[in-house]
Amino acid sequence: MSQIFTKRRGLSIAAAIGVGALLAGCASGDNSGSADSPITLLTSGDADTTQGQGKAMNDVIALFTEQTGVEAEQDRVPFDQFLASATTKARAGKLGDVVEMLPGANFESLFSSVADLTQDQFADADLLSGWSATVKDVADDSVFAGVPVGAQGVVWYYNKALFEQVGLDPEAPPATWDEMLATCDAFKAEGISPIGMSGSDSFILWWAWSSLSPQFFSTEDVNAVRAGDIPLNDERFMDSLQPLLDSYNADCWNDDFAGKKFTDVEADFGAGKVAMVPGLISNAINWKVWDDKLGTDAYGVFNAPKVAGTSLQGQFFNPVLMYGVSAKSQNPDAALKLIETMASAEGQTILLKEASQFPNRTDVDVVGVTGSTGAGQILEIVDAVGGVDVAQNQFNGAAQSASWTNLTQTMISGDLSAFLDDLEKQQRG
């Protein structure tokens, strides 16, 4: 798998994707619907379409309908139920037309139910970044489950005022993990929670783990995890978790983390109660939230601090989502056109403005559209160290679910080996 988004190469999906050519590669199914038949988009999220991702998708659909005359509607399922619901729909042959998936192996249970896509079907395919994350099977990297849309990753955010309050340089976040632990000591001495973590859902802890992965797994290693050549109880997974366990044992986390959800920590950081937090690049607990709650210049962004003894470096930055066409879609032409609209500059500008979803194309002026200093700092980090995929994206649904369920208790018990042995069992099942 080649590096993803290195130097953020430009995309021109609207020009690059030939809908007619794509149809030739769609799997067979009941495609008897007329060209203007309504289509459905199976997507994650709550039912609210008046704001955030729901509104963004509605606006993209409106653009699609204006361009094609075809109606489309969202079938929205809460994120924590999405994979199970989509898998059930796939088995029943009721996926609809356009199917949202996470990149990597997380959603491989759906791959047999979506049409095969190949880069040979696309003009200027070399302009498209992020395809590696949508490969159906690492044994054949020419067949894809969907089109990459948007960018996701994990960075660390910090409150500049709190840094200044405890005598730290507000322009110099910790660059190494030893510095991170020393920074925590400075905040603890003043009664301020250094790192915000959520124990109720383990999501922030998972994101923190993902932020450290590029120091332990090369791009080739990530492929090997997916292929099964590197097990999930490999010592590198242990080593990537150890810094987080060290920070827990050093009391760097908020005291009430065990009962917190990520939304609670998001609120605490926004209210200035937490000094640092590992957060997302797109959609939630991210720069857009901090712009709104703290102000564009009140916080800073930094890459995961360097762990002693590691030689690799990179920034977790890959497609936030990929969209495929159901093999049983009755209107695959329109389904592909909807994906094209989502991936277009206009579509990704809508997603950026309404849902703070980072674009995976450079002809969207992120800072110009958002006015966000934090968003600009993220782009600078990706340019400096390169955007890469992470090993956690190659966990299947069972291993991913087990990690979310058990990660908090693992930190409390300190038994990393048992945790990883269970993940490997879930992965290979």
Side-chain angles (χ1 to χ4, degrees):
M1 186 182 296
S2 60
Q3 278 198 336
I4 298 174
F5 296 109
T6 302
K7 299 300 182 184
R8 304 190 320 279
R9 291 179 299 165
L11 301 185
S12 183
I13 295 182
I17 297 178
V19 173
L22 279 168
L23 291 177
C26 287
S28 60
D30 181 4
N31 299 334
S32 59
S34 65
D36 59 354
S37 298
I39 62 172
T40 57
L41 165 62
L42 180 62
T43 183
S44 62
D46 58 39
D48 187 2
T49 58
T50 64
Q51 60 182 347
Q53 188 79 0
K55 183 179 186 303
M57 284 299 189
N58 259 4
D59 290 351
V60 170
I61 286 172
L63 176 62
F64 159 76
T65 300
E66 178 184 342
Q67 293 173 340
T68 65
V70 179
E71 298 291 332
E73 62 179 16
Q74 298 184 61
D75 179 6
R76 295 182 67 80
V77 179
F79 178 78
D80 58 354
Q81 303 170 27
F82 184 80
L83 180 56
S85 176
T87 302
T88 298
K89 289 175 183 288
R91 290 171 179 167
K94 297 181 178 179
L95 267 180
D97 299 283
V98 178
V99 185
E100 173 189 305
M101 293 171 283
L102 289 179
N106 294 165
F107 276 34
E108 65 182 359
S109 62
L110 299 180
F111 289 177
S112 63
S113 300
V114 296
D116 289 353
L117 301 175
T118 67
Q119 287 196 27
D120 290 342
Q121 298 165 262
F122 295 80
D124 301 324
D126 60 324
L127 296 178
L128 305 181
S129 296
W131 284 101
S132 298
T134 77
V135 169
K136 275 194 170 186
D137 184 343
V138 291
D140 182 359
D141 62 4
S142 67
V143 178
F144 304 91
V147 176
V149 175
Q152 185 60 289
V154 175
V155 292
W156 287 71
Y157 299 97
Y158 70 100
N159 186 309
K160 290 184 177 181
L162 292 182
F163 266 62
E164 195 166 15
Q165 181 177 325
V166 300
L168 296 173
D169 184 346
E171 302 302 327
T176 68
W177 204 258
D178 288 340
E179 289 179 10
M180 170 67 86
L181 297 179
T183 299
C184 289
D185 288 340
F187 284 111
K188 287 189 298 180
E190 297 297 325
I192 298 171
S193 294
I195 299 175
M197 284 289 182
S198 62
S200 177
D201 56 25
S202 288
F203 287 165
I204 295 181
L205 185 51
W206 166 274
W207 296 330
W209 188 21
S210 299
S211 78
L212 290 167
S213 281
Q215 298 182 39
F216 296 89
F217 295 90
S218 69
T219 302
E220 292 73 21
D221 292 334
V222 171
N223 260 346
V225 171
R226 172 104 179 253
D229 297 331
I230 295 178
L232 302 196
N233 53 5
D234 184 272
E235 64 180 8
R236 282 167 287 188
F237 282 109
M238 178 87 71
D239 292 342
S240 63
L241 277 170
Q242 188 63 49
L244 297 174
L245 180 58
D246 291 344
S247 67
Y248 170 74
N249 289 334
D251 295 325
C252 292
W253 303 359
N254 45 309
D255 292 338
D256 56 355
F257 87 96
K260 292 277 189 176
K261 295 182 179 180
F262 84 89
T263 49
D264 298 323
V265 178
E266 181 182 78
D268 286 348
F269 185 84
K273 298 179 180 179
V274 174
M276 299 174 288
V277 65
L280 296 176
I281 289 173
S282 287
N283 302 117
I285 196 162
N286 72 334
W287 54 271
K288 179 62 167 64
V289 178
W290 318 140
D291 283 353
D292 292 344
K293 293 187 175 183
L294 291 169
T296 59
D297 297 318
Y299 67 95
V301 184
F302 62 105
N303 197 9
K306 200 84 170 99
V307 178
T310 59
S311 59
L312 299 172
Q313 183 61 295
Q315 167 59 47
F316 169 22
F317 194 75
N318 75 336
V320 59
L321 296 169
M322 58 185 186
Y323 292 90
V325 177
S326 169
K328 294 184 178 295
S329 172
Q330 295 190 28
N331 196 345
D333 194 339
L336 289 163
K337 182 62 179 177
L338 176 56
I339 296 172
E340 179 182 328
T341 304
M342 284 191 283
S344 69
E346 191 170 2
Q348 291 206 18
T349 298
I350 292 172
L351 288 164
L352 174 63
K353 291 174 68 173
E354 298 292 345
S356 69
Q357 179 175 298
F358 244 52
N360 61 347
R361 48 186 301 154
T362 56
D363 55 356
V364 177
D365 181 2
V366 173
V367 176
V369 170
T370 65
S372 175
T373 302
Q377 290 177 341
I378 292 170
L379 294 177
E380 291 172 0
I381 291 172
V382 174
D383 271 345
V385 300
V388 298
D389 199 3
V390 291
Q392 285 84 349
N393 277 343
Q394 308 311 329
F395 291 9
N396 66 18
Q400 183 189 67
S401 178
S403 63
W404 285 345
T405 300
N406 300 324
L407 198 48
T408 294
Q409 186 56 42
T410 297
M411 291 292 113
I412 294 173
S413 71
D415 194 348
L416 302 182
S417 294
F419 170 72
L420 293 173
D421 286 343
D422 179 63
L423 292 194
E424 173 62 13
K425 180 180 178 180
Q426 298 294 332
Q427 182 85 346
R428 310 306 166 194

